[in-house]
Amino acid sequence: MKRLPLELTVNGEPYSLSVEPNRTLLQVLRDDLDLTGAKEGCGEGVCGSCTVLKDGNPVRACLTLALEAAGCHITTVEGLAEDGVLDPLQQSFIDHGAVQCGFCTSGMLMTAKGLLLRDPKPGKNEILSALSGHVCRCTGYAKIAEAVEAAADTSAKER
Amino acid sequence: MRLPAFDYELPGNLDEALELLNTYGPNGKILAGGTDLLVRMKQGLALPTHLISLKALPELATIRESEVGLRIGAAVRLRDILTYPTLEDRVPGFFEAVSSIGAPSIQHFSGTIGGNLCQDNRCQFYNQSSFFRKARQPCNKAGGKTCYAWEGGSDKCYSVCQSDAAPVLMAMEAEVVVRSKQGERTMPLAELYSSVGERPLTLADDEMLTEIRVPNPGPGTGTAFEKLTYRSAIDYAVLSAGALVQTEGERITRARLVIGAVSRAPLGIPTAQNILQGRPPGDEEALDEAARAAANAAEAFIANNMAQPAEYRKQMVSVMAKRALSRALSRTGMTEAT
Protein backbone atom coordinates (compact mmCIF):
# COMPACT_ATOMS: atom_id res chain seq x y z
CA MET A 1 0.00 0.00 0.00
CA LYS A 2 1.66 3.19 -1.23
CA ARG A 3 1.45 6.26 0.98
CA LEU A 4 0.38 9.26 -1.04
CA PRO A 5 0.72 13.01 -0.50
CA LEU A 6 -2.43 14.83 0.58
CA GLU A 7 -2.96 18.57 0.58
CA LEU A 8 -6.12 19.86 2.16
CA THR A 9 -7.41 22.77 4.20
CA VAL A 10 -9.02 22.09 7.55
CA ASN A 11 -10.77 24.92 9.41
CA GLY A 12 -8.80 27.41 7.32
CA GLU A 13 -5.40 25.85 8.03
CA PRO A 14 -3.54 24.28 5.10
CA TYR A 15 -2.04 20.84 5.74
CA SER A 16 0.48 18.79 3.77
CA LEU A 17 0.22 15.18 4.84
CA SER A 18 1.27 11.78 3.65
CA VAL A 19 -1.46 9.17 4.12
CA GLU A 20 -2.16 5.54 3.38
CA PRO A 21 -5.02 5.16 0.87
CA ASN A 22 -7.21 3.18 3.26
CA ARG A 23 -7.36 5.96 5.83
CA THR A 24 -10.68 7.73 6.00
CA LEU A 25 -11.05 11.45 6.38
CA LEU A 26 -12.37 10.77 9.87
CA GLN A 27 -9.23 8.87 10.89
CA VAL A 28 -6.96 11.61 9.56
CA LEU A 29 -8.93 14.34 11.32
CA ARG A 30 -9.06 12.54 14.64
CA ASP A 31 -5.77 10.63 14.76
CA ASP A 32 -3.39 12.83 12.76
CA LEU A 33 -4.79 16.31 13.31
CA ASP A 34 -6.21 15.74 16.83
CA LEU A 35 -9.58 17.15 15.79
CA THR A 36 -11.76 14.77 17.78
CA GLY A 37 -15.02 16.72 17.40
CA ALA A 38 -16.25 14.45 14.60
CA LYS A 39 -17.17 11.10 16.16
CA GLU A 40 -17.27 7.59 14.81
CA GLY A 41 -20.65 6.08 15.63
CA CYS A 42 -21.60 3.32 13.21
CA GLY A 43 -18.74 3.68 10.74
CA GLU A 44 -21.19 2.78 7.97
CA GLY A 45 -22.71 6.13 7.08
CA VAL A 46 -25.96 5.54 8.94
CA CYS A 47 -25.71 7.61 12.13
CA GLY A 48 -24.28 10.94 10.98
CA SER A 49 -22.07 11.68 13.98
CA CYS A 50 -18.92 11.89 11.80
CA THR A 51 -20.39 14.59 9.55
CA VAL A 52 -18.04 17.38 8.45
CA LEU A 53 -18.38 20.00 5.74
CA LYS A 54 -16.47 19.40 2.53
CA ASP A 55 -16.44 22.62 0.52
CA GLY A 56 -19.52 23.70 2.48
CA ASN A 57 -21.56 20.54 2.02
CA PRO A 58 -22.04 17.82 4.64
CA VAL A 59 -20.35 14.46 4.04
CA ARG A 60 -19.82 11.36 6.16
CA ALA A 61 -16.15 11.52 7.14
CA CYS A 62 -16.22 7.79 7.92
CA LEU A 63 -17.12 6.97 4.32
CA THR A 64 -14.86 9.54 2.69
CA LEU A 65 -11.32 8.49 1.87
CA ALA A 66 -8.89 11.12 3.09
CA LEU A 67 -7.39 11.16 -0.42
CA GLU A 68 -10.80 11.96 -1.90
CA ALA A 69 -10.75 15.21 0.11
CA ALA A 70 -7.54 16.38 -1.60
CA GLY A 71 -7.70 20.07 -2.42
CA CYS A 72 -10.94 20.53 -0.48
CA HIS A 73 -11.85 22.85 2.36
CA ILE A 74 -12.94 20.79 5.33
CA THR A 75 -14.78 22.35 8.26
CA THR A 76 -15.17 20.43 11.49
CA VAL A 77 -17.07 21.45 14.61
CA GLU A 78 -13.80 22.90 15.96
CA GLY A 79 -13.88 25.40 13.08
CA LEU A 80 -17.33 26.83 13.85
CA ALA A 81 -16.31 29.25 16.65
CA GLU A 82 -14.34 32.30 15.60
CA ASP A 83 -11.85 33.95 17.97
CA GLY A 84 -13.40 32.20 20.91
CA VAL A 85 -16.92 33.35 20.05
CA LEU A 86 -19.33 30.50 19.43
CA ASP A 87 -21.19 30.26 16.15
CA PRO A 88 -24.83 31.37 16.61
CA LEU A 89 -25.80 27.78 15.88
CA GLN A 90 -23.67 26.47 18.76
CA GLN A 91 -25.03 29.12 21.11
CA SER A 92 -28.55 28.22 20.07
CA PHE A 93 -27.91 24.53 20.84
CA ILE A 94 -26.78 25.55 24.33
CA ASP A 95 -29.70 27.94 24.87
CA HIS A 96 -32.25 25.34 23.78
CA GLY A 97 -30.73 22.43 25.69
CA ALA A 98 -30.29 20.65 22.37
CA VAL A 99 -27.37 18.66 23.78
CA GLN A 100 -27.90 15.56 25.86
CA CYS A 101 -25.10 12.99 25.78
CA GLY A 102 -23.43 15.08 23.09
CA PHE A 103 -22.25 12.27 20.83
CA CYS A 104 -24.39 13.25 17.85
CA THR A 105 -24.07 16.99 18.47
CA SER A 106 -21.07 17.80 16.27
CA GLY A 107 -22.65 15.99 13.32
CA MET A 108 -25.99 17.71 13.87
CA LEU A 109 -24.22 21.07 14.05
CA MET A 110 -22.30 20.49 10.84
CA THR A 111 -25.33 19.39 8.84
CA ALA A 112 -27.28 22.35 10.23
CA LYS A 113 -24.41 24.67 9.34
CA GLY A 114 -24.35 23.27 5.80
CA LEU A 115 -28.09 23.84 5.52
CA LEU A 116 -27.85 27.47 6.73
CA LEU A 117 -24.99 28.12 4.31
CA ARG A 118 -27.16 26.96 1.40
CA ASP A 119 -30.39 28.46 2.70
CA PRO A 120 -30.11 31.07 5.49
CA LYS A 121 -33.83 30.92 6.23
CA PRO A 122 -35.00 27.32 5.90
CA GLY A 123 -38.52 26.30 6.84
CA LYS A 124 -39.28 23.77 9.55
CA ASN A 125 -39.66 21.00 6.97
CA GLU A 126 -36.32 21.77 5.34
CA ILE A 127 -34.66 21.61 8.76
CA LEU A 128 -36.27 18.29 9.62
CA SER A 129 -35.43 16.90 6.21
CA ALA A 130 -31.79 18.03 6.46
CA LEU A 131 -31.39 16.49 9.91
CA SER A 132 -33.15 13.29 8.91
CA GLY A 133 -29.88 11.54 8.17
CA HIS A 134 -28.78 11.84 11.81
CA VAL A 135 -29.47 9.60 14.74
CA CYS A 136 -29.76 10.98 18.29
CA ARG A 137 -29.93 7.99 20.59
CA CYS A 138 -31.13 10.28 23.42
CA THR A 139 -34.04 11.09 21.07
CA GLY A 140 -33.61 14.84 21.59
CA TYR A 141 -34.74 15.65 18.08
CA ALA A 142 -37.37 18.28 18.91
CA LYS A 143 -34.97 20.56 20.77
CA ILE A 144 -32.32 20.15 18.09
CA ALA A 145 -34.76 21.19 15.37
CA GLU A 146 -35.90 24.15 17.52
CA ALA A 147 -32.30 25.22 18.07
CA VAL A 148 -31.60 25.23 14.35
CA GLU A 149 -34.79 27.16 13.65
CA ALA A 150 -33.89 29.80 16.26
CA ALA A 151 -30.33 30.10 14.92
CA ALA A 152 -31.72 30.65 11.43
CA ASP A 153 -33.92 33.45 12.82
CA THR A 154 -30.97 35.07 14.63
CA SER A 155 -28.62 35.04 11.69
CA ALA A 156 -31.37 36.29 9.38
CA LYS A 157 -31.95 39.25 11.73
CA GLU A 158 -28.24 40.03 11.91
CA ARG A 159 -28.19 40.34 8.16
CA MET B 1 -14.05 0.47 11.53
CA ARG B 2 -10.93 0.21 9.41
CA LEU B 3 -10.71 -0.27 5.71
CA PRO B 4 -8.58 -3.11 4.37
CA ALA B 5 -5.42 -2.18 2.47
CA PHE B 6 -5.58 -1.14 -1.20
CA ASP B 7 -3.82 1.14 -3.65
CA TYR B 8 -5.48 4.34 -4.80
CA GLU B 9 -5.55 5.32 -8.46
CA LEU B 10 -6.56 8.75 -9.67
CA PRO B 11 -6.99 8.66 -13.47
CA GLY B 12 -7.07 12.07 -15.16
CA ASN B 13 -9.40 11.05 -17.98
CA LEU B 14 -11.81 8.27 -18.92
CA ASP B 15 -9.33 6.40 -21.13
CA GLU B 16 -6.88 6.18 -18.24
CA ALA B 17 -9.64 4.89 -15.98
CA LEU B 18 -10.62 2.21 -18.51
CA GLU B 19 -6.97 1.23 -18.95
CA LEU B 20 -6.67 0.77 -15.17
CA LEU B 21 -9.86 -1.31 -15.06
CA ASN B 22 -8.49 -3.43 -17.88
CA THR B 23 -5.21 -3.93 -16.01
CA TYR B 24 -6.65 -4.84 -12.62
CA GLY B 25 -9.74 -6.75 -13.77
CA PRO B 26 -11.71 -8.20 -10.85
CA ASN B 27 -9.24 -6.69 -8.35
CA GLY B 28 -9.97 -3.13 -9.45
CA LYS B 29 -13.12 -1.33 -8.32
CA ILE B 30 -14.53 2.02 -9.34
CA LEU B 31 -14.84 4.50 -6.47
CA ALA B 32 -17.47 7.21 -6.99
CA GLY B 33 -19.38 8.33 -3.89
CA GLY B 34 -18.20 5.34 -1.88
CA THR B 35 -21.36 5.06 0.19
CA ASP B 36 -21.97 1.44 -0.90
CA LEU B 37 -18.48 0.15 -1.74
CA LEU B 38 -16.60 1.46 1.31
CA VAL B 39 -19.15 -0.05 3.70
CA ARG B 40 -18.80 -3.44 2.00
CA MET B 41 -15.02 -3.14 2.15
CA LYS B 42 -15.15 -2.36 5.86
CA GLN B 43 -17.25 -5.50 6.35
CA GLY B 44 -14.82 -7.57 4.30
CA LEU B 45 -17.41 -8.23 1.57
CA ALA B 46 -15.34 -6.56 -1.13
CA LEU B 47 -11.55 -6.69 -1.08
CA PRO B 48 -10.26 -4.91 -4.18
CA THR B 49 -6.50 -4.38 -4.40
CA HIS B 50 -6.99 -1.13 -6.33
CA LEU B 51 -9.60 1.60 -6.07
CA ILE B 52 -9.99 3.73 -9.17
CA SER B 53 -11.31 7.15 -8.19
CA LEU B 54 -13.63 9.10 -10.49
CA LYS B 55 -12.86 12.35 -8.66
CA ALA B 56 -10.88 13.85 -11.55
CA LEU B 57 -13.31 12.91 -14.34
CA PRO B 58 -15.69 15.85 -14.76
CA GLU B 59 -16.89 14.39 -18.08
CA LEU B 60 -18.71 11.70 -16.08
CA ALA B 61 -20.26 14.25 -13.74
CA THR B 62 -22.31 16.32 -16.18
CA ILE B 63 -25.91 16.25 -17.35
CA ARG B 64 -26.45 16.89 -21.05
CA GLU B 65 -29.62 17.43 -23.07
CA SER B 66 -30.22 15.46 -26.23
CA GLU B 67 -33.14 15.52 -28.65
CA VAL B 68 -34.71 12.51 -27.00
CA GLY B 69 -34.03 13.21 -23.36
CA LEU B 70 -31.37 13.58 -20.71
CA ARG B 71 -27.91 12.07 -20.83
CA ILE B 72 -26.73 11.81 -17.25
CA GLY B 73 -23.09 11.01 -16.51
CA ALA B 74 -22.73 8.01 -14.20
CA ALA B 75 -20.80 10.06 -11.62
CA VAL B 76 -23.39 12.85 -11.36
CA ARG B 77 -24.20 13.41 -7.69
CA LEU B 78 -27.77 12.72 -6.62
CA ARG B 79 -28.04 16.30 -5.41
CA ASP B 80 -27.14 17.63 -8.87
CA ILE B 81 -29.99 15.62 -10.37
CA LEU B 82 -32.46 17.01 -7.82
CA THR B 83 -31.39 20.60 -8.48
CA TYR B 84 -31.32 20.25 -12.28
CA PRO B 85 -33.75 22.83 -13.71
CA THR B 86 -37.19 21.53 -14.75
CA LEU B 87 -36.30 17.90 -13.92
CA GLU B 88 -38.99 17.60 -11.27
CA ASP B 89 -41.68 18.73 -13.73
CA ARG B 90 -40.38 16.67 -16.63
CA VAL B 91 -39.83 13.36 -14.88
CA PRO B 92 -41.47 13.53 -11.45
CA GLY B 93 -41.17 9.79 -10.91
CA PHE B 94 -37.40 9.87 -11.37
CA PHE B 95 -37.21 12.93 -9.09
CA GLU B 96 -39.16 11.06 -6.41
CA ALA B 97 -36.87 8.05 -6.68
CA VAL B 98 -33.65 10.05 -6.37
CA SER B 99 -35.08 12.11 -3.47
CA SER B 100 -35.77 8.93 -1.57
CA ILE B 101 -32.22 7.57 -1.69
CA GLY B 102 -30.32 7.63 1.61
CA ALA B 103 -30.55 10.84 3.59
CA PRO B 104 -31.08 14.20 1.93
CA SER B 105 -28.20 16.17 3.37
CA ILE B 106 -25.56 13.50 3.30
CA GLN B 107 -25.64 10.83 0.64
CA HIS B 108 -26.86 13.37 -1.87
CA PHE B 109 -23.57 15.22 -1.75
CA SER B 110 -21.55 12.01 -2.13
CA GLY B 111 -23.73 9.34 -3.72
CA THR B 112 -23.95 9.18 -7.51
CA ILE B 113 -26.64 7.95 -9.89
CA GLY B 114 -24.30 5.34 -11.38
CA GLY B 115 -23.47 4.14 -7.90
CA ASN B 116 -27.13 3.76 -7.04
CA LEU B 117 -27.81 1.70 -10.16
CA CYS B 118 -24.66 -0.41 -9.67
CA GLN B 119 -24.98 -1.00 -5.92
CA ASP B 120 -24.53 -4.60 -4.91
CA ASN B 121 -27.53 -6.73 -3.98
CA ARG B 122 -28.25 -6.97 -0.30
CA CYS B 123 -29.44 -9.56 2.21
CA GLN B 124 -29.75 -9.49 5.98
CA PHE B 125 -27.51 -12.56 6.24
CA TYR B 126 -24.84 -11.20 3.91
CA ASN B 127 -24.50 -7.46 4.66
CA GLN B 128 -23.09 -8.00 8.13
CA SER B 129 -19.74 -7.72 9.86
CA SER B 130 -17.31 -10.58 9.33
CA PHE B 131 -17.77 -11.38 13.05
CA PHE B 132 -21.50 -11.93 12.49
CA ARG B 133 -20.93 -13.97 9.35
CA LYS B 134 -18.28 -16.19 10.97
CA ALA B 135 -20.95 -17.74 13.17
CA ARG B 136 -21.97 -20.03 10.30
CA GLN B 137 -20.91 -21.39 6.94
CA PRO B 138 -20.65 -18.80 4.17
CA CYS B 139 -23.74 -18.38 2.00
CA ASN B 140 -23.83 -18.57 -1.82
CA LYS B 141 -23.03 -14.89 -2.19
CA ALA B 142 -20.07 -15.16 0.19
CA GLY B 143 -18.64 -18.07 -1.80
CA GLY B 144 -20.37 -20.88 0.11
CA LYS B 145 -23.09 -23.33 -0.86
CA THR B 146 -26.32 -22.39 0.84
CA CYS B 147 -28.85 -19.61 1.26
CA TYR B 148 -30.08 -18.58 4.70
CA ALA B 149 -32.80 -16.31 3.32
CA TRP B 150 -34.67 -19.22 1.74
CA GLU B 151 -36.48 -21.64 3.99
CA GLY B 152 -34.61 -24.95 3.87
CA GLY B 153 -31.65 -23.45 1.98
CA SER B 154 -31.18 -23.09 -1.76
CA ASP B 155 -28.44 -23.38 -4.35
CA LYS B 156 -29.55 -19.95 -5.58
CA CYS B 157 -28.76 -16.64 -3.89
CA TYR B 158 -31.87 -14.78 -2.74
CA SER B 159 -30.26 -11.38 -2.28
CA VAL B 160 -32.27 -8.38 -3.42
CA CYS B 161 -31.62 -5.36 -5.64
CA GLN B 162 -32.53 -2.32 -3.54
CA SER B 163 -31.65 0.44 -5.98
CA ASP B 164 -34.30 3.17 -5.81
CA ALA B 165 -33.47 4.75 -9.15
CA ALA B 166 -33.68 1.49 -11.13
CA PRO B 167 -37.43 0.64 -11.02
CA VAL B 168 -38.71 3.97 -12.32
CA LEU B 169 -35.89 4.31 -14.86
CA MET B 170 -36.70 0.82 -16.14
CA ALA B 171 -40.37 1.77 -16.37
CA MET B 172 -39.30 4.78 -18.43
CA GLU B 173 -37.22 2.50 -20.66
CA ALA B 174 -33.97 4.28 -19.88
CA GLU B 175 -30.77 3.09 -21.50
CA VAL B 176 -27.27 2.82 -20.12
CA VAL B 177 -23.92 3.28 -21.82
CA VAL B 178 -21.17 0.92 -20.75
CA ARG B 179 -17.53 1.42 -21.68
CA SER B 180 -14.40 -0.67 -21.57
CA LYS B 181 -10.98 -0.31 -23.12
CA GLN B 182 -12.29 -2.39 -26.02
CA GLY B 183 -15.26 -0.21 -26.81
CA GLU B 184 -18.71 0.98 -25.90
CA ARG B 185 -22.17 -0.57 -25.81
CA THR B 186 -25.59 0.89 -25.18
CA MET B 187 -28.39 -1.26 -23.81
CA PRO B 188 -31.70 -1.00 -21.99
CA LEU B 189 -31.20 -0.48 -18.26
CA ALA B 190 -33.02 -3.78 -17.65
CA GLU B 191 -30.11 -5.59 -19.29
CA LEU B 192 -27.66 -4.17 -16.76
CA TYR B 193 -29.14 -6.63 -14.26
CA SER B 194 -28.31 -10.32 -14.48
CA SER B 195 -30.88 -11.75 -12.01
CA VAL B 196 -27.99 -13.69 -10.46
CA GLY B 197 -27.72 -12.80 -6.77
CA GLU B 198 -24.03 -13.55 -6.46
CA ARG B 199 -23.19 -11.26 -9.36
CA PRO B 200 -26.15 -8.97 -9.97
CA LEU B 201 -24.70 -6.86 -12.79
CA THR B 202 -23.96 -7.96 -16.35
CA LEU B 203 -20.86 -5.73 -16.43
CA ALA B 204 -17.60 -7.51 -17.26
CA ASP B 205 -14.66 -6.89 -14.91
CA ASP B 206 -13.15 -4.32 -17.27
CA GLU B 207 -16.40 -2.48 -17.96
CA MET B 208 -17.92 0.55 -16.29
CA LEU B 209 -21.23 2.36 -16.51
CA THR B 210 -20.59 5.83 -17.97
CA GLU B 211 -23.97 7.30 -18.86
CA ILE B 212 -27.69 6.92 -18.22
CA ARG B 213 -30.05 8.02 -20.98
CA VAL B 214 -33.44 9.07 -19.66
CA PRO B 215 -35.95 9.55 -22.49
CA ASN B 216 -38.44 12.43 -22.38
CA PRO B 217 -41.73 10.81 -21.44
CA GLY B 218 -43.60 12.60 -24.22
CA PRO B 219 -47.10 14.11 -24.19
CA GLY B 220 -49.81 12.54 -22.09
CA THR B 221 -47.33 10.53 -20.07
CA GLY B 222 -46.91 10.40 -16.29
CA THR B 223 -44.26 8.76 -14.10
CA ALA B 224 -44.22 7.93 -10.39
CA PHE B 225 -42.16 6.12 -7.77
CA GLU B 226 -43.38 4.61 -4.51
CA LYS B 227 -41.08 3.40 -1.74
CA LEU B 228 -41.97 1.53 1.41
CA THR B 229 -39.61 2.12 4.34
CA TYR B 230 -39.88 2.23 8.12
CA ARG B 231 -38.04 5.55 8.42
CA SER B 232 -38.20 8.48 6.03
CA ALA B 233 -34.43 8.64 5.59
CA ILE B 234 -31.43 6.31 5.40
CA ASP B 235 -33.44 3.12 5.03
CA TYR B 236 -33.20 0.87 2.02
CA ALA B 237 -36.50 0.11 0.34
CA VAL B 238 -38.52 -2.69 1.90
CA LEU B 239 -40.41 -2.62 -1.36
CA SER B 240 -40.76 -0.10 -4.17
CA ALA B 241 -42.58 0.45 -7.43
CA GLY B 242 -41.86 2.58 -10.48
CA ALA B 243 -44.54 3.31 -13.05
CA LEU B 244 -45.06 5.06 -16.35
CA VAL B 245 -48.53 5.54 -17.82
CA GLN B 246 -49.46 7.17 -21.12
CA THR B 247 -52.97 8.16 -22.16
CA GLU B 248 -54.39 9.23 -25.47
CA GLY B 249 -57.91 10.53 -25.74
CA GLU B 250 -59.79 8.69 -23.03
CA ARG B 251 -57.71 5.50 -23.15
CA ILE B 252 -54.52 4.23 -21.58
CA THR B 253 -52.08 3.43 -24.38
CA ARG B 254 -48.95 2.51 -22.49
CA ALA B 255 -48.36 1.21 -18.96
CA ARG B 256 -45.01 0.13 -17.55
CA LEU B 257 -44.69 -1.18 -14.03
CA VAL B 258 -41.49 -2.31 -12.30
CA ILE B 259 -41.33 -3.60 -8.74
CA GLY B 260 -38.13 -2.93 -6.79
CA ALA B 261 -36.56 -4.48 -3.68
CA VAL B 262 -38.37 -7.74 -4.34
CA SER B 263 -35.99 -9.85 -6.39
CA ARG B 264 -32.37 -10.18 -7.56
CA ALA B 265 -33.13 -7.58 -10.24
CA PRO B 266 -35.88 -4.98 -10.55
CA LEU B 267 -38.94 -6.99 -11.54
CA GLY B 268 -40.75 -5.82 -14.67
CA ILE B 269 -44.49 -6.63 -14.80
CA PRO B 270 -45.23 -6.90 -18.55
CA THR B 271 -48.82 -8.04 -17.91
CA ALA B 272 -49.62 -4.54 -16.58
CA GLN B 273 -49.45 -3.33 -20.17
CA ASN B 274 -51.90 -6.00 -21.38
CA ILE B 275 -54.32 -5.30 -18.56
CA LEU B 276 -54.30 -1.52 -18.75
CA GLN B 277 -54.07 -0.94 -22.50
CA GLY B 278 -57.30 0.48 -23.90
CA ARG B 279 -58.91 0.93 -20.48
CA PRO B 280 -60.22 4.37 -19.50
CA PRO B 281 -58.07 6.31 -16.99
CA GLY B 282 -60.87 6.33 -14.40
CA ASP B 283 -61.14 2.51 -14.36
CA GLU B 284 -60.27 1.68 -10.76
CA GLU B 285 -60.88 -2.02 -11.41
CA ALA B 286 -58.15 -2.02 -14.09
CA LEU B 287 -55.59 -0.63 -11.65
CA ASP B 288 -56.53 -3.25 -9.07
CA GLU B 289 -56.12 -5.98 -11.68
CA ALA B 290 -52.65 -4.73 -12.66
CA ALA B 291 -51.64 -4.44 -9.00
CA ARG B 292 -52.80 -8.02 -8.36
CA ALA B 293 -50.78 -9.19 -11.36
CA ALA B 294 -47.71 -7.54 -9.83
CA ALA B 295 -48.32 -9.24 -6.50
CA ASN B 296 -48.68 -12.63 -8.19
CA ALA B 297 -45.48 -12.16 -10.15
CA ALA B 298 -43.51 -10.92 -7.13
CA GLU B 299 -44.64 -13.50 -4.61
CA ALA B 300 -42.31 -16.28 -5.76
CA PHE B 301 -39.23 -14.09 -5.30
CA ILE B 302 -39.84 -12.66 -1.84
CA ALA B 303 -37.46 -14.32 0.59
CA ASN B 304 -36.49 -13.78 4.20
CA ASN B 305 -33.67 -11.47 3.12
CA MET B 306 -34.71 -8.40 5.10
CA ALA B 307 -35.56 -7.70 8.70
CA GLN B 308 -39.16 -7.10 7.62
CA PRO B 309 -41.41 -10.18 7.45
CA ALA B 310 -41.74 -11.70 3.98
CA GLU B 311 -45.51 -12.07 4.47
CA TYR B 312 -45.90 -8.31 5.01
CA ARG B 313 -43.85 -7.54 1.92
CA LYS B 314 -45.95 -9.94 -0.17
CA GLN B 315 -49.12 -8.18 0.91
CA MET B 316 -47.71 -4.73 0.23
CA VAL B 317 -46.68 -5.35 -3.40
CA SER B 318 -50.15 -4.66 -4.79
CA VAL B 319 -50.49 -1.58 -2.57
CA MET B 320 -47.23 -0.05 -3.81
CA ALA B 321 -48.00 -1.02 -7.40
CA LYS B 322 -51.44 0.60 -7.34
CA ARG B 323 -50.19 3.78 -5.70
CA ALA B 324 -47.43 4.16 -8.29
CA LEU B 325 -49.80 3.50 -11.20
CA SER B 326 -52.49 5.87 -9.87
CA ARG B 327 -50.03 8.68 -9.33
CA ALA B 328 -48.44 8.19 -12.74
CA LEU B 329 -51.93 8.23 -14.24
CA SER B 330 -52.85 11.43 -12.40
CA ARG B 331 -49.80 13.05 -13.97
CA THR B 332 -50.58 12.14 -17.58
CA GLY B 333 -51.96 15.63 -18.11
CA MET B 334 -48.99 17.39 -16.54
CA THR B 335 -46.19 16.66 -18.99
CA GLU B 336 -47.84 18.21 -22.03
CA ALA B 337 -46.80 21.72 -21.02
CA THR B 338 -43.10 20.99 -21.47
Side-chain angles (χ1 to χ4, degrees):
Chain A
M1 198 165 48
K2 265 198 326 255
R3 283 174 85 92
L4 293 168
L6 168 65
E7 310 260 339
L8 81 173
T9 308
V10 181
N11 299 333
E13 297 272 323
Y15 289 92
S16 284
L17 308 166
S18 164
V19 301
E20 284 155 344
N22 69 345
R23 287 176 70 77
T24 62
L25 179 59
L26 183 64
Q27 287 171 321
V28 168
L29 290 173
R30 290 181 59 89
D31 303 345
D32 298 359
L33 306 184
D34 268 344
L35 295 169
T36 54
K39 309 280 187 253
E40 178 166 59
C42 64
E44 297 177 359
V46 176
C47 75
S49 50
C50 65
T51 303
V52 299
L53 297 185
K54 183 177 151 202
D55 292 335
N57 286 322
V59 294
R60 306 291 211 225
C62 77
L63 289 187
T64 304
L65 293 187
L67 289 170
E68 290 278 289
C72 296
H73 285 260
I74 302 297
T75 312
T76 69
V77 72
E78 288 91 342
L80 282 182
E82 273 180 55
D83 305 323
V85 181
L86 292 181
D87 188 276
L89 203 49
Q90 290 172 301
Q91 191 58 51
S92 183
F93 267 57
I94 296 172
D95 296 344
H96 287 80
V99 179
Q100 292 182 46
C101 85
F103 200 89
C104 72
T105 309
S106 58
M108 295 277 186
L109 280 168
M110 298 321 291
T111 283
K113 185 70 187 172
L115 173 69
L116 296 187
L117 285 174
R118 290 194 304 281
D119 176 4
K121 195 74 189 76
K124 181 118 196 165
N125 281 344
E126 278 81 51
I127 293 172
L128 292 178
S129 157
L131 293 176
S132 67
H134 290 257
V135 174
C136 167
R137 275 287 164 254
C138 311
T139 69
Y141 299 103
K143 288 183 172 176
I144 293 169
E146 282 164 18
V148 177
E149 214 176 349
D153 278 343
T154 323
S155 47
K157 264 187 219 128
E158 277 168 14
R159 225 166 262 118
Chain B
M1 269 194 297
R2 296 193 162 270
L3 280 163
F6 57 85
D7 281 314
Y8 177 83
E9 305 286 346
L10 188 64
N13 59 53
L14 185 55
D15 286 335
E16 274 177 43
L18 296 172
E19 183 68 50
L20 288 164
L21 256 187
N22 188 65
T23 307
Y24 298 121
N27 296 320
K29 283 265 181 275
I30 297 287
L31 174 70
T35 54
D36 179 50
L37 178 63
L38 295 184
V39 177
R40 286 190 286 120
M41 286 173 66
K42 284 183 173 187
Q43 294 176 331
L45 296 170
L47 296 167
T49 59
H50 289 77
L51 283 192
I52 302 161
S53 170
L54 301 185
K55 183 176 149 75
L57 302 183
E59 66 258 52
L60 287 186
T62 49
I63 302 179
R64 295 184 188 85
E65 295 276 351
S66 79
E67 277 171 27
V68 291
L70 290 169
R71 296 170 52 190
I72 305 177
V76 169
R77 309 269 170 213
L78 301 174
R79 168 87 187 172
D80 294 331
I81 293 177
L82 296 177
T83 53
Y84 188 79
T86 71
L87 186 126
E88 185 174 6
D89 295 331
R90 281 163 69 176
V91 278
F94 180 44
F95 183 88
E96 284 169 343
V98 173
S99 312
S100 78
I101 299 168
S105 72
I106 308 287
Q107 271 86 346
H108 291 185
F109 295 106
S110 304
T112 62
I113 182 66
N116 186 265
L117 293 174
C118 293
Q119 66 179 266
D120 197 6
N121 278 12
R122 298 176 58 83
C123 172
Q124 63 169 340
F125 297 99
Y126 175 75
N127 295 90
Q128 296 287 355
S129 65
S130 53
F131 177 76
F132 177 104
R133 284 179 286 121
K134 257 183 223 152
R136 47 178 135 197
Q137 297 296 312
C139 69
N140 291 322
K141 194 164 169 63
K145 281 194 185 321
T146 188
C147 177
Y148 297 111
W150 196 251
E151 182 100 33
S154 171
D155 57 353
K156 288 200 184 79
C157 166
Y158 278 85
S159 62
V160 59
C161 173
Q162 281 173 296
S163 165
D164 288 325
V168 71
L169 285 179
M170 264 173 64
M172 294 171 67
E173 290 164 3
E175 290 184 322
V176 289
V177 180
V178 169
R179 293 269 308 259
S180 73
K181 194 190 168 191
Q182 274 69 41
E184 176 181 306
R185 60 193 176 110
T186 304
M187 59 185 177
L189 172 62
E191 289 175 23
L192 180 66
Y193 299 104
S194 67
S195 293
V196 177
E198 292 90 335
R199 195 187 166 101
L201 300 179
T202 55
L203 296 180
D205 288 331
D206 65 341
E207 283 184 320
M208 67 182 278
L209 176 67
T210 56
E211 188 177 291
I212 298 99
R213 294 186 177 164
V214 184
N216 292 327
T221 309
T223 59
F225 176 73
E226 269 294 327
K227 176 177 176 178
L228 179 67
T229 53
Y230 283 7
R231 301 179 293 182
S232 66
I234 295 285
D235 281 358
Y236 284 94
V238 172
L239 207 58
S240 66
L244 174 145
V245 178
Q246 187 171 13
T247 54
E248 221 178 297
E250 279 305 295
R251 299 283 163 203
I252 294 172
T253 52
R254 195 153 67 113
R256 300 275 183 271
L257 176 63
V258 179
I259 306 295
V262 75
S263 176
R264 302 173 190 96
L267 184 69
I269 311 292
T271 44
Q273 168 76 19
N274 308 338
I275 294 167
L276 292 173
Q277 193 168 20
R279 306 281 280 266
D283 189 346
E284 196 79 4
E285 188 55 37
L287 294 182
D288 283 329
E289 249 178 76
R292 270 199 304 276
N296 287 339
E299 190 173 353
F301 295 103
I302 296 182
N304 183 29
N305 46 21
M306 294 184 198
Q308 293 76 14
E311 193 49 44
Y312 171 60
R313 290 169 63 212
K314 282 177 190 171
Q315 293 185 20
M316 287 304 284
V317 174
S318 60
V319 180
M320 291 292 119
K322 189 176 175 190
R323 282 186 197 163
L325 285 170
S326 317
R327 207 163 57 250
L329 192 56
S330 74
R331 286 172 174 159
T332 52
M334 280 172 41
T335 47
E336 275 172 292
T338 54

